[in-house]
Amino acid sequence: MTRRIPVPPRKLPQVGGRALFEFEDKSLALFNVEGDVFAIDDSCPHQGASLCGGRLEGRVIQCCAHGLRFDLRSGYLLNSSAIKVVNYPVEVIDGQAFILVSEESAP
Ligand code: FES
């Protein structure tokens, strides 16, 4: 099942911007790269540092703590398919953004 979490307009970053968005127990980093909005967990898969304040180049975010770089589109560490930050599809409909969060169905 997939939930659609609405992003309050003030939390939706403008082109070139970023924002921290928290809901329930999640803390997500949102980035707007040339009009495309990306959402990832604000927790580096290496040692959990925040990624929201990292250095952004194109759609690659670099963790401030130890410098690992992740592709915002796939979530994967550059040149690797072994390490991945959790990422979420984002839908924007008439200016309203939704984060799509899939939930495992109960066993
Ligand atoms: S915590 Fe992000 S690179 Fe180490």
Side-chain angles (χ1 to χ4, degrees):
M1 185 178 134
T2 301
R3 291 173 60 201
R4 298 167 85 233
I5 310 295
V7 179
R10 70 183 192 295
K11 287 290 184 184
L12 186 61
Q14 300 299 307
V15 174
R18 62 186 71 185
L20 201 56
F21 173 53
E22 296 184 333
F23 71 95
E24 297 169 3
D25 61 342
K26 292 186 185 299
S27 182
L28 305 187
L30 308 183
F31 299 89
N32 186 329
V33 180
E34 298 176 0
D36 291 328
V37 181
F38 299 97
I40 60 172
D41 269 349
D42 188 35
S43 176
C44 180
H46 179 224
Q47 288 186 358
S50 169
L51 290 169
C52 193
R55 182 171 172 209
L56 187 64
E57 278 186 15
R59 56 182 169 86
V60 173
I61 187 73
Q62 182 172 26
C63 181
C64 295
H66 309 102
L68 294 186
R69 300 192 303 153
F70 300 90
D71 184 322
L72 290 176
R73 191 180 302 278
S74 68
Y76 282 107
L77 181 68
L78 287 195
N79 304 317
S80 168
S81 57
I83 301 177
K84 181 180 190 293
V85 63
V86 178
N87 61 338
Y88 304 87
V90 179
E91 221 175 59
V92 181
I93 300 171
D94 294 334
Q96 171 64 62
F98 298 90
I99 312 283
L100 306 184
V101 178
S102 60
E103 296 178 332
E104 302 294 321
S105 45

XYZ file of all heavy atoms in Angstrom:
822
model
N 0.839 -1.190 0.000
C 0.000 0.000 0.000
C 0.880 1.248 0.000
O 1.915 1.291 0.645
C -0.877 -0.029 1.246
C -1.878 1.082 1.323
S -2.897 0.876 2.818
C -2.850 2.523 3.423
N 0.460 2.239 -0.758
C 1.237 3.480 -0.823
C 0.424 4.623 -0.238
O -0.739 4.804 -0.567
C 1.600 3.813 -2.286
O 2.361 2.727 -2.815
C 2.407 5.090 -2.373
N 1.074 5.367 0.652
C 0.430 6.550 1.226
C 0.955 7.785 0.509
O 2.114 7.836 0.111
C 0.758 6.676 2.716
C 0.110 5.601 3.551
C 0.607 5.677 4.969
N 0.301 6.964 5.596
C 0.958 7.441 6.662
N 1.928 6.777 7.204
N 0.623 8.617 7.178
N 0.092 8.754 0.375
C 0.490 10.029 -0.229
C 0.499 11.070 0.878
O -0.557 11.424 1.406
C -0.484 10.419 -1.329
C -0.514 9.407 -2.462
C -1.685 9.612 -3.384
N -1.382 10.612 -4.397
C -2.120 11.664 -4.643
N -3.223 11.872 -3.973
N -1.773 12.508 -5.578
N 1.690 11.537 1.221
C 1.830 12.496 2.313
C 1.919 13.896 1.714
O 2.876 14.203 0.981
C 3.112 12.220 3.139
C 3.200 10.740 3.549
C 3.208 13.155 4.333
C 2.127 10.272 4.481
N 0.931 14.765 1.976
C 1.003 16.118 1.413
C 2.104 16.943 2.081
O 2.286 16.881 3.293
C -0.388 16.706 1.711
C -0.949 15.881 2.812
C -0.271 14.541 2.791
N 2.823 17.682 1.276
C 3.872 18.567 1.793
C 3.283 19.966 1.918
O 2.791 20.512 0.920
C 5.089 18.596 0.838
C 6.169 19.528 1.357
C 5.634 17.195 0.613
N 3.319 20.558 3.107
C 2.805 21.931 3.230
C 3.564 22.852 2.272
O 4.783 22.704 2.123
C 3.105 22.294 4.693
C 3.311 20.996 5.400
C 3.843 20.043 4.367
N 2.852 23.780 1.616
C 3.506 24.642 0.619
C 4.772 25.326 1.136
O 5.752 25.455 0.403
C 2.426 25.671 0.283
C 1.139 24.961 0.567
C 1.411 24.038 1.726
N 4.809 25.718 2.402
C 5.997 26.410 2.921
C 7.197 25.476 3.038
O 8.335 25.925 3.205
C 5.695 27.081 4.262
C 5.486 26.108 5.391
C 5.121 26.797 6.697
N 5.184 25.921 7.834
C 4.417 24.873 8.048
N 3.494 24.551 7.171
N 4.542 24.132 9.135
N 6.948 24.166 2.977
C 8.040 23.188 3.065
C 8.529 22.729 1.704
O 9.490 21.971 1.610
C 7.572 21.951 3.857
C 7.448 22.195 5.331
C 8.830 22.369 5.933
C 8.782 22.524 7.437
N 10.127 22.788 7.975
N 7.854 23.164 0.659
C 8.256 22.755 -0.684
C 9.347 23.701 -1.175
O 9.110 24.898 -1.339
C 7.056 22.794 -1.628
C 7.304 22.259 -3.034
C 7.715 20.790 -2.996
C 6.071 22.451 -3.897
N 10.574 23.197 -1.357
C 11.661 24.103 -1.743
C 11.486 24.662 -3.151
O 10.954 23.996 -4.042
C 12.912 23.221 -1.650
C 12.437 21.813 -1.679
C 11.016 21.811 -1.199
N 11.943 25.893 -3.306
C 11.976 26.527 -4.623
C 13.130 25.932 -5.421
O 13.982 25.223 -4.863
C 12.172 28.034 -4.472
C 11.076 28.732 -3.691
C 9.724 28.591 -4.355
O 9.575 28.896 -5.523
N 8.741 28.090 -3.617
N 13.176 26.231 -6.714
C 14.258 25.725 -7.562
C 15.610 26.105 -6.934
O 15.829 27.259 -6.556
C 14.148 26.311 -8.989
C 15.352 25.912 -9.826
C 12.862 25.823 -9.654
N 16.464 25.100 -6.778
C 17.786 25.326 -6.182
C 17.785 25.244 -4.676
O 18.841 25.336 -4.052
N 16.600 25.050 -4.079
C 16.493 25.058 -2.628
C 16.371 23.674 -2.029
O 16.328 22.656 -2.720
N 16.293 23.675 -0.738
C 16.142 22.432 0.016
C 15.349 22.717 1.280
O 15.269 23.870 1.716
C 17.504 21.847 0.363
C 18.314 22.773 1.241
C 19.708 22.297 1.494
N 20.560 22.390 0.313
C 21.807 21.945 0.259
N 22.351 21.389 1.311
N 22.518 22.073 -0.839
N 14.784 21.683 1.871
C 14.005 21.862 3.096
C 13.972 20.553 3.861
O 14.063 19.471 3.278
C 12.579 22.299 2.762
N 13.846 20.695 5.159
C 13.655 19.534 6.008
C 12.159 19.374 6.231
O 11.462 20.356 6.502
C 14.353 19.789 7.348
C 14.708 18.584 8.210
C 15.573 17.592 7.438
C 15.437 19.058 9.454
N 11.676 18.182 6.058
C 10.240 17.934 6.212
C 10.045 16.761 7.162
O 10.557 15.668 6.910
C 9.625 17.631 4.836
C 8.194 17.190 4.886
C 7.230 17.933 5.553
C 7.788 16.007 4.274
C 5.913 17.521 5.604
C 6.468 15.591 4.305
C 5.528 16.355 4.978
N 9.355 17.011 8.251
C 9.149 15.954 9.239
C 7.690 15.601 9.312
O 6.819 16.475 9.301
C 9.657 16.415 10.599
C 11.157 16.660 10.564
C 11.738 17.031 11.906
O 11.001 17.599 12.738
O 12.930 16.760 12.105
N 7.422 14.322 9.358
C 6.065 13.872 9.613
C 6.162 12.530 10.321
O 7.083 11.751 10.092
C 5.246 13.765 8.316
C 5.654 12.636 7.417
C 5.007 11.418 7.460
C 6.714 12.785 6.536
C 5.386 10.378 6.633
C 7.116 11.755 5.724
C 6.452 10.543 5.759
N 5.215 12.328 11.234
C 5.220 11.116 12.057
C 6.646 10.910 12.591
O 7.228 11.813 13.138
C 4.674 9.937 11.262
C 3.212 10.186 10.868
C 2.667 9.205 9.853
O 3.370 8.259 9.450
O 1.501 9.401 9.451
N 7.247 9.745 12.380
C 8.588 9.528 12.927
C 9.678 9.717 11.881
O 10.828 9.369 12.110
C 8.680 8.121 13.534
C 8.441 7.045 12.476
O 7.877 7.366 11.406
O 8.821 5.886 12.721
N 9.325 10.290 10.739
C 10.304 10.428 9.662
C 10.818 11.858 9.540
O 10.089 12.813 9.785
C 9.685 10.024 8.316
C 9.366 8.552 8.202
C 8.897 8.240 6.791
C 8.437 6.806 6.655
N 9.485 5.828 6.950
N 12.073 11.942 9.151
C 12.679 13.232 8.869
C 13.256 13.136 7.461
O 14.173 12.357 7.205
C 13.773 13.494 9.907
O 14.333 14.759 9.685
N 12.675 13.896 6.538
C 13.079 13.815 5.144
C 13.763 15.104 4.709
O 13.435 16.189 5.194
C 11.862 13.591 4.232
C 10.952 12.410 4.527
C 9.928 12.263 3.409
C 11.740 11.130 4.699
N 14.696 14.945 3.793
C 15.336 16.102 3.164
C 14.757 16.226 1.762
O 14.761 15.257 0.995
C 16.850 15.906 3.107
N 14.223 17.400 1.451
C 13.650 17.664 0.130
C 14.574 18.604 -0.636
O 15.073 19.592 -0.069
C 12.273 18.323 0.261
C 11.241 17.641 1.152
C 9.920 18.415 1.098
C 11.036 16.196 0.756
N 14.779 18.300 -1.897
C 15.634 19.123 -2.755
C 14.877 19.427 -4.038
O 14.190 18.557 -4.582
C 16.928 18.379 -3.123
C 17.771 18.018 -1.932
C 17.572 16.811 -1.272
C 18.750 18.874 -1.474
C 18.344 16.470 -0.170
C 19.529 18.547 -0.375
C 19.324 17.338 0.276
N 15.031 20.646 -4.517
C 14.471 21.013 -5.805
C 15.635 21.301 -6.755
O 16.354 22.291 -6.609
C 13.570 22.253 -5.668
C 12.855 22.586 -6.962
O 13.369 22.332 -8.051
N 11.685 23.178 -6.860
N 15.827 20.377 -7.687
C 16.927 20.515 -8.649
C 16.316 20.809 -10.013
O 15.688 19.942 -10.627
C 17.781 19.227 -8.707
C 18.916 19.381 -9.718
C 18.332 18.875 -7.332
N 16.453 22.049 -10.429
C 15.940 22.484 -11.735
C 14.472 22.112 -11.929
O 14.062 21.662 -13.004
C 16.809 21.915 -12.861
C 18.248 22.410 -12.785
C 19.156 21.784 -13.828
O 18.677 20.957 -14.629
O 20.345 22.117 -13.825
N 13.700 22.223 -10.857
C 12.263 21.975 -10.955
C 11.851 20.554 -10.603
O 10.658 20.290 -10.445
N 12.819 19.641 -10.501
C 12.491 18.283 -10.062
C 12.684 18.203 -8.552
O 13.738 18.600 -8.036
C 13.409 17.247 -10.734
C 13.135 17.130 -12.228
O 11.971 17.314 -12.630
O 14.085 16.849 -12.974
N 11.662 17.693 -7.860
C 11.736 17.603 -6.405
C 12.100 16.171 -6.013
O 11.506 15.207 -6.503
C 10.399 18.013 -5.752
C 10.502 17.931 -4.235
C 10.020 19.426 -6.179
N 13.104 16.064 -5.146
C 13.562 14.764 -4.664
C 13.395 14.707 -3.149
O 13.559 15.710 -2.455
C 15.039 14.549 -5.007
C 15.312 14.554 -6.482
C 15.750 15.706 -7.113
C 15.115 13.420 -7.243
C 15.990 15.720 -8.480
C 15.353 13.412 -8.613
C 15.785 14.571 -9.230
N 13.068 13.518 -2.657
C 12.903 13.328 -1.209
C 13.716 12.120 -0.775
O 13.603 11.039 -1.367
C 11.427 13.110 -0.875
N 14.552 12.328 0.236
C 15.336 11.222 0.800
C 15.242 11.281 2.319
O 14.932 12.327 2.894
C 16.827 11.291 0.385
C 17.461 12.604 0.864
C 16.986 11.107 -1.115
C 18.978 12.661 0.655
N 15.521 10.156 2.969
C 15.642 10.174 4.420
C 16.793 11.105 4.787
O 17.854 11.066 4.147
C 15.957 8.772 4.953
C 14.711 7.979 5.287
O 13.611 8.574 5.315
O 14.837 6.766 5.520
N 16.572 11.910 5.820
C 17.640 12.817 6.245
C 18.605 12.085 7.176
O 18.872 12.540 8.291
C 17.063 14.064 6.923
C 18.152 15.087 7.184
O 19.074 15.201 6.354
O 18.091 15.765 8.234
N 19.073 10.951 6.708
C 19.958 10.141 7.527
C 20.892 9.377 6.589
O 20.447 8.524 5.818
C 19.124 9.166 8.366
O 19.961 8.311 9.090
N 22.151 9.700 6.649
C 23.126 9.037 5.778
C 23.220 7.558 6.146
O 23.304 7.216 7.334
C 24.478 9.719 5.947
S 25.778 8.992 4.937
N 23.206 6.674 5.126
C 23.277 5.249 5.442
C 24.632 4.830 6.011
O 24.772 3.704 6.493
C 22.999 4.564 4.093
C 23.298 5.586 3.068
C 23.043 6.928 3.701
N 25.616 5.715 5.980
C 26.920 5.366 6.539
C 26.866 5.406 8.064
O 26.920 4.375 8.712
C 28.007 6.307 5.988
C 29.365 6.026 6.548
N 30.210 7.013 6.963
C 30.007 4.847 6.775
C 31.336 6.463 7.409
N 31.233 5.145 7.297
N 26.710 6.605 8.626
C 26.655 6.691 10.093
C 25.551 7.629 10.566
O 25.607 8.130 11.688
C 28.004 7.133 10.664
C 29.053 6.034 10.562
C 30.358 6.391 11.242
O 30.547 7.488 11.779
N 31.294 5.458 11.212
N 24.591 7.886 9.702
C 23.387 8.581 10.153
C 23.433 10.093 10.183
O 22.507 10.723 10.698
N 24.477 10.701 9.635
C 24.528 12.170 9.633
C 23.392 12.735 8.777
O 22.882 12.075 7.872
C 25.872 12.648 9.085
N 23.023 13.981 9.067
C 22.001 14.654 8.269
C 22.536 14.910 6.856
O 23.690 15.296 6.671
C 21.637 15.988 8.921
O 20.851 16.752 8.040
N 21.685 14.683 5.860
C 22.084 14.946 4.474
C 21.533 16.265 3.964
O 21.969 16.775 2.935
C 21.609 13.801 3.560
C 22.354 12.478 3.760
C 21.648 11.350 3.011
C 23.796 12.583 3.313
N 20.562 16.832 4.692
C 19.887 18.037 4.207
C 20.864 19.201 4.018
O 20.715 20.002 3.115
C 18.764 18.434 5.164
S 17.658 19.662 4.469
N 21.862 19.273 4.870
C 22.817 20.383 4.790
C 24.044 20.060 3.974
O 25.010 20.830 3.970
N 24.021 18.923 3.274
C 25.191 18.521 2.499
C 25.426 19.405 1.296
O 24.635 20.287 0.970
N 26.543 19.162 0.639
C 26.902 19.934 -0.554
C 26.204 19.323 -1.764
O 26.340 18.134 -2.027
C 28.413 19.882 -0.727
C 28.894 20.671 -1.891
C 30.403 20.757 -1.885
N 30.851 21.355 -3.130
C 32.004 21.096 -3.688
N 32.841 20.283 -3.121
N 32.319 21.673 -4.818
N 25.453 20.160 -2.474
C 24.680 19.679 -3.611
C 25.341 20.106 -4.917
O 25.649 21.280 -5.119
C 23.264 20.258 -3.532
C 22.244 19.744 -4.545
C 21.971 18.259 -4.360
C 20.936 20.525 -4.414
N 25.577 19.125 -5.784
C 26.095 19.399 -7.130
C 25.194 18.685 -8.105
O 25.187 17.446 -8.138
C 27.515 18.865 -7.286
C 28.577 19.781 -6.721
C 29.978 19.262 -7.041
O 30.120 18.386 -7.923
O 30.907 19.724 -6.383
N 24.425 19.446 -8.890
C 23.439 18.805 -9.753
C 22.470 18.038 -8.869
O 21.922 18.600 -7.917
N 22.298 16.747 -9.146
C 21.424 15.969 -8.270
C 22.229 14.971 -7.432
O 21.750 13.896 -7.081
C 20.317 15.284 -9.063
C 20.759 14.402 -10.178
C 19.540 13.832 -10.911
N 19.898 13.185 -12.139
C 20.283 11.917 -12.218
N 20.336 11.187 -11.153
N 20.600 11.399 -13.377
N 23.442 15.393 -7.085
C 24.294 14.577 -6.213
C 24.482 15.318 -4.895
O 24.894 16.482 -4.881
C 25.670 14.309 -6.868
C 26.608 13.612 -5.880
C 25.494 13.460 -8.128
N 24.141 14.640 -3.794
C 24.312 15.237 -2.475
C 25.504 14.579 -1.785
O 25.658 13.357 -1.824
C 23.020 15.095 -1.622
C 23.135 15.876 -0.311
C 22.659 13.645 -1.340
C 23.048 17.358 -0.464
N 26.347 15.425 -1.209
C 27.528 14.914 -0.523
C 27.347 15.088 0.982
O 27.074 16.192 1.464
C 28.780 15.661 -0.988
C 30.049 15.135 -0.335
C 31.295 15.739 -0.942
O 31.266 16.842 -1.478
N 32.393 15.008 -0.861
N 27.481 14.010 1.699
C 27.329 14.038 3.153
C 28.452 14.871 3.769
O 29.621 14.736 3.391
C 27.361 12.607 3.697
S 27.166 12.515 5.484
N 28.072 15.722 4.726
C 29.058 16.592 5.380
C 30.013 15.804 6.265
O 31.125 16.245 6.529
C 28.360 17.614 6.288
S 27.338 18.757 5.415
N 29.565 14.655 6.752
C 30.361 13.964 7.766
C 31.630 13.328 7.195
O 32.733 13.622 7.660
C 29.506 12.907 8.465
N 31.483 12.498 6.191
C 32.663 11.796 5.659
C 32.750 11.882 4.146
O 33.588 11.218 3.541
C 32.658 10.327 6.095
C 32.453 10.138 7.559
N 31.239 9.762 8.088
C 33.292 10.329 8.602
C 31.342 9.716 9.412
N 32.569 10.052 9.748
N 31.854 12.630 3.541
C 32.005 12.926 2.115
C 31.389 11.953 1.133
O 31.575 12.114 -0.071
N 30.659 10.943 1.601
C 30.033 10.037 0.625
C 29.013 10.819 -0.202
O 28.351 11.735 0.300
C 29.352 8.855 1.321
C 30.280 7.887 2.051
C 29.475 6.688 2.560
C 31.417 7.413 1.163
N 28.889 10.429 -1.474
C 28.011 11.158 -2.394
C 26.917 10.237 -2.926
O 27.196 9.116 -3.366
C 28.833 11.750 -3.542
C 29.895 12.712 -3.018
C 30.529 13.537 -4.098
N 31.120 12.720 -5.142
C 31.255 13.145 -6.409
N 30.851 14.344 -6.761
N 31.801 12.365 -7.303
N 25.700 10.739 -2.920
C 24.538 9.953 -3.311
C 23.771 10.643 -4.430
O 23.612 11.865 -4.426
C 23.597 9.761 -2.107
C 24.249 9.055 -0.958
C 24.910 9.778 0.032
C 24.225 7.676 -0.876
C 25.535 9.123 1.083
C 24.838 7.013 0.171
C 25.498 7.747 1.159
N 23.288 9.813 -5.351
C 22.438 10.308 -6.426
C 21.026 10.479 -5.870
O 20.429 9.508 -5.378
C 22.452 9.282 -7.576
C 21.673 9.761 -8.787
O 20.610 10.397 -8.627
O 22.120 9.480 -9.905
N 20.493 11.683 -5.946
C 19.160 11.924 -5.375
C 18.080 11.135 -6.099
O 17.069 10.778 -5.517
C 18.823 13.420 -5.436
C 19.614 14.329 -4.497
C 19.229 15.785 -4.751
C 19.372 13.955 -3.046
N 18.301 10.862 -7.387
C 17.253 10.178 -8.141
C 17.135 8.709 -7.740
O 16.045 8.199 -7.524
C 17.502 10.300 -9.642
C 16.319 9.838 -10.485
C 16.585 9.979 -11.978
N 16.912 11.319 -12.413
C 16.027 12.270 -12.662
N 14.746 12.037 -12.506
N 16.418 13.462 -13.059
N 18.264 8.048 -7.617
C 18.234 6.617 -7.295
C 18.422 6.351 -5.808
O 18.029 5.301 -5.303
C 19.330 5.881 -8.062
O 20.610 6.266 -7.570
N 19.071 7.270 -5.115
C 19.413 7.058 -3.712
C 20.755 6.367 -3.529
O 21.291 6.346 -2.418
N 21.314 5.823 -4.607
C 22.538 5.034 -4.462
C 23.778 5.901 -4.308
O 23.873 6.996 -4.884
C 22.737 4.109 -5.660
C 21.853 2.882 -5.603
C 20.763 2.753 -6.450
C 22.112 1.864 -4.690
C 19.937 1.635 -6.391
C 21.289 0.744 -4.629
C 20.214 0.633 -5.474
O 19.406 -0.467 -5.409
N 24.720 5.358 -3.551
C 26.065 5.894 -3.496
C 26.596 5.915 -4.927
O 26.357 4.964 -5.697
C 26.917 4.959 -2.623
C 28.375 5.313 -2.392
C 28.491 6.572 -1.541
C 29.085 4.145 -1.708
N 27.295 6.987 -5.293
C 27.809 7.060 -6.665
C 28.690 5.861 -6.970
O 29.484 5.444 -6.131
C 28.616 8.342 -6.869
C 27.846 9.651 -6.951
C 28.753 10.746 -7.517
C 26.569 9.538 -7.763
N 28.537 5.312 -8.158
C 29.341 4.180 -8.626
C 29.193 2.950 -7.748
O 30.133 2.179 -7.593
C 30.821 4.571 -8.735
C 31.010 5.773 -9.627
O 30.386 5.852 -10.687
N 31.823 6.715 -9.199
N 28.029 2.774 -7.169
C 27.807 1.619 -6.310
C 26.334 1.245 -6.346
O 25.475 2.090 -6.557
C 28.198 1.952 -4.866
O 27.722 0.949 -3.996
N 26.070 -0.014 -6.162
C 24.674 -0.419 -5.970
C 24.559 -1.135 -4.635
O 23.629 -1.893 -4.403
C 24.207 -1.313 -7.122
O 25.045 -2.443 -7.220
N 25.533 -0.897 -3.760
C 25.563 -1.598 -2.481
C 24.996 -0.744 -1.343
O 24.398 -1.274 -0.407
C 26.986 -2.017 -2.144
N 25.198 0.562 -1.426
C 24.762 1.437 -0.329
C 23.771 2.434 -0.895
O 23.995 3.028 -1.950
C 25.954 2.187 0.298
C 26.974 1.178 0.836
C 25.496 3.114 1.409
C 28.218 1.818 1.418
N 22.687 2.619 -0.164
C 21.602 3.445 -0.691
C 20.935 4.190 0.446
O 20.660 3.604 1.500
C 20.590 2.521 -1.368
C 19.402 3.188 -2.010
C 18.503 2.128 -2.642
C 17.421 2.721 -3.501
N 16.436 3.480 -2.778
N 20.657 5.466 0.223
C 19.818 6.202 1.158
C 18.369 5.977 0.711
O 18.084 5.876 -0.491
C 20.189 7.709 1.189
C 19.954 8.390 -0.142
C 19.423 8.424 2.298
N 17.479 5.862 1.676
C 16.078 5.631 1.333
C 15.541 6.874 0.631
O 15.703 8.000 1.124
C 15.238 5.329 2.593
C 13.776 5.144 2.227
C 15.781 4.081 3.288
N 14.958 6.661 -0.539
C 14.392 7.794 -1.269
C 12.910 7.526 -1.564
O 12.455 6.378 -1.499
C 15.182 8.086 -2.553
C 15.177 6.924 -3.521
O 14.952 5.782 -3.131
N 15.435 7.208 -4.773
N 12.205 8.582 -1.855
C 10.749 8.495 -2.032
C 10.350 9.222 -3.304
O 10.830 10.339 -3.551
C 10.028 9.157 -0.848
C 10.419 8.592 0.485
C 11.520 9.097 1.167
C 9.706 7.544 1.057
C 11.898 8.569 2.391
C 10.068 7.013 2.284
C 11.175 7.533 2.937
O 11.558 7.002 4.141
N 9.451 8.638 -4.077
C 8.924 9.377 -5.225
C 8.140 10.604 -4.751
O 7.535 10.575 -3.666
C 7.977 8.376 -5.904
C 8.289 7.047 -5.316
C 8.876 7.293 -3.960
N 8.185 11.646 -5.547
C 7.439 12.871 -5.237
C 6.532 13.171 -6.424
O 6.959 13.119 -7.573
C 8.393 14.071 -5.016
C 7.596 15.338 -4.718
C 9.370 13.773 -3.888
N 5.294 13.468 -6.123
C 4.305 13.817 -7.137
C 3.914 15.264 -6.896
O 3.665 15.642 -5.753
C 3.073 12.949 -6.878
C 2.395 12.365 -8.073
C 1.280 11.446 -7.626
O 0.352 11.909 -6.918
O 1.350 10.277 -7.962
N 3.875 16.067 -7.933
C 3.403 17.447 -7.767
C 2.194 17.625 -8.672
O 2.277 17.419 -9.885
C 4.495 18.473 -8.126
C 3.973 19.895 -7.910
C 5.751 18.251 -7.281
N 1.066 17.948 -8.045
C -0.173 18.120 -8.796
C -0.715 19.517 -8.504
O -1.016 19.837 -7.348
C -1.223 17.054 -8.400
C -0.670 15.654 -8.689
C -2.535 17.289 -9.139
C -1.522 14.530 -8.155
N -0.789 20.339 -9.531
C -1.275 21.712 -9.366
C -0.551 22.445 -8.236
O -1.175 23.132 -7.420
C -2.788 21.725 -9.105
C -3.572 21.240 -10.311
O -3.049 21.362 -11.437
O -4.688 20.727 -10.124
N 0.756 22.251 -8.158
C 1.549 22.961 -7.157
C 1.565 22.309 -5.788
O 2.306 22.729 -4.911
N 0.756 21.277 -5.598
C 0.747 20.564 -4.310
C 1.630 19.323 -4.449
O 1.407 18.491 -5.334
C -0.677 20.154 -3.928
C -0.761 19.223 -2.725
C -0.264 19.840 -1.427
O -0.814 20.818 -0.944
N 0.816 19.281 -0.873
N 2.640 19.230 -3.579
C 3.545 18.080 -3.630
C 3.097 17.003 -2.650
O 2.601 17.294 -1.557
C 4.961 18.522 -3.302
N 3.276 15.778 -3.071
C 3.002 14.615 -2.218
C 4.221 13.711 -2.214
O 4.819 13.460 -3.272
C 1.821 13.797 -2.770
C 0.522 14.544 -2.809
C 0.170 15.281 -3.937
C -0.349 14.518 -1.734
C -1.025 15.975 -3.987
C -1.554 15.209 -1.776
C -1.896 15.939 -2.903
N 4.572 13.220 -1.035
C 5.602 12.196 -0.912
C 4.888 10.854 -0.932
O 3.918 10.649 -0.188
C 6.357 12.317 0.432
C 6.802 13.750 0.703
C 7.516 11.330 0.491
C 7.968 14.216 -0.040
N 5.346 9.943 -1.773
C 4.721 8.623 -1.854
C 5.509 7.658 -0.981
O 6.694 7.405 -1.230
C 4.689 8.134 -3.298
C 4.025 9.097 -4.297
C 3.958 8.460 -5.671
C 2.642 9.512 -3.835
N 4.861 7.176 0.044
C 5.520 6.290 1.010
C 4.854 4.936 0.930
O 3.642 4.805 1.193
C 5.385 6.844 2.442
C 6.036 5.909 3.455
C 5.989 8.245 2.525
N 5.630 3.934 0.525
C 5.020 2.602 0.469
C 5.205 1.918 1.817
O 6.242 2.048 2.471
C 5.612 1.760 -0.651
O 6.967 1.607 -0.455
N 4.180 1.248 2.217
C 4.212 0.562 3.506
C 4.083 -0.926 3.251
O 3.282 -1.357 2.428
C 3.040 1.031 4.379
C 3.145 2.508 4.712
C 1.961 2.983 5.536
O 0.882 2.403 5.405
O 2.154 3.932 6.294
N 4.925 -1.645 3.981
C 4.843 -3.092 3.873
C 3.499 -3.529 4.444
O 3.066 -3.021 5.468
C 5.961 -3.754 4.694
C 7.347 -3.314 4.280
C 7.695 -3.766 2.870
O 7.329 -4.898 2.512
O 8.320 -2.983 2.144
N 2.851 -4.454 3.741
C 1.600 -4.949 4.305
C 1.919 -5.925 5.434
O 2.957 -6.565 5.450
C 0.751 -5.624 3.241
O 1.541 -6.467 2.481
N 1.061 -5.970 6.373
C 1.285 -6.827 7.537
C 1.326 -8.293 7.094
O 0.621 -8.684 6.179
C 0.168 -6.624 8.536
N 2.217 -9.052 7.711
C 2.324 -10.459 7.308
C 1.055 -11.231 7.595
O 0.285 -10.854 8.445
C 3.473 -11.002 8.156
C 3.702 -10.025 9.259
C 3.106 -8.716 8.809
S 27.800 9.635 7.944
Fe 27.597 10.234 5.880
S 29.464 9.751 4.975
Fe 29.679 9.085 7.043
